Amino acid sequence: MAAKYATYGDYAAFFPARASESIFEMYSPSAEAYIDVLTHNRAEQAEGYKRERVKQAACALINEMCALDGARGASGARVASVSNDGYSESYTGGSASADGETATLRQVAMRWLSGTGLVSAL
């Protein structure tokens, strides 16, 4: 399935040497769905500078989703601390972490979508 808002080339230009193309393809549908929710599907018809901002939001969301998942341990919980000497990890858990991730993703998206009129109330 082709990316709706950004290509891997767009992403690689925006975030050089971050995620591979396969990682980009894995996170792209989630980032696009998140943009569609925030914009009530108005991003699909965006043109000009608004389309560019949607592309930038998609790239930034993919990058952030990758970073958030990279901060997880094997159990899926977010890693709070790691000790390399005798190897130990401690995790945060529960909905507070998920709520924090949601807030982070919203903040990342809004950084690019604010001022476009795409996220205003219906």
Side-chain angles (χ1 to χ4, degrees), residues 1-12 15 18-32 55 58-60 62-63 65-66:
M1 181 169 103
K4 182 164 50 172
Y5 296 132
T7 65
Y8 181 72
D10 297 328
Y11 174 81
F15 294 105
R18 290 292 263 213
S20 67
E21 188 168 359
S22 63
I23 296 294
F24 169 86
E25 294 296 332
M26 183 174 76
Y27 288 106
S28 185
S30 295
E32 291 170 353
K55 177 173 62 176
C59 292
I62 290 165
N63 201 59
M65 289 173 175
C66 185

Side-chain angles (χ1 to χ4, degrees), residues 36-52:
D36 288 341
V37 167
L38 287 178
T39 65
H40 302 282
N41 294 311
R42 288 180 275 203
E44 292 179 5
Q45 286 79 39
E47 296 177 351
Y49 84 93
K50 292 179 182 183
R51 186 62 168 191
E52 186 65 23

Side-chain angles (χ1 to χ4, degrees), residues 32-119:
E32 291 170 353
Y34 194 74
I35 289 170
D36 288 341
V37 167
L38 287 178
T39 65
H40 302 282
N41 294 311
R42 288 180 275 203
E44 292 179 5
Q45 286 79 39
E47 296 177 351
Y49 84 93
K50 292 179 182 183
R51 186 62 168 191
E52 186 65 23
R53 299 288 291 273
V54 168
K55 177 173 62 176
Q56 293 165 334
C59 292
L61 281 168
I62 290 165
N63 201 59
E64 189 63 31
M65 289 173 175
C66 185
L68 287 171
D69 277 353
R72 294 184 201 284
S75 67
R78 289 186 50 79
V79 176
S81 65
V82 176
S83 172
N84 200 9
D85 192 21
Y87 187 78
S88 65
E89 292 182 359
S90 61
Y91 303 95
T92 63
S95 63
S97 178
D99 290 346
E101 289 179 9
T102 300
T104 298
L105 291 176
R106 182 172 174 77
Q107 185 178 32
V108 166
M110 293 302 288
R111 183 177 305 137
W112 297 103
L113 299 175
S114 291
T116 64
L118 296 172
V119 290

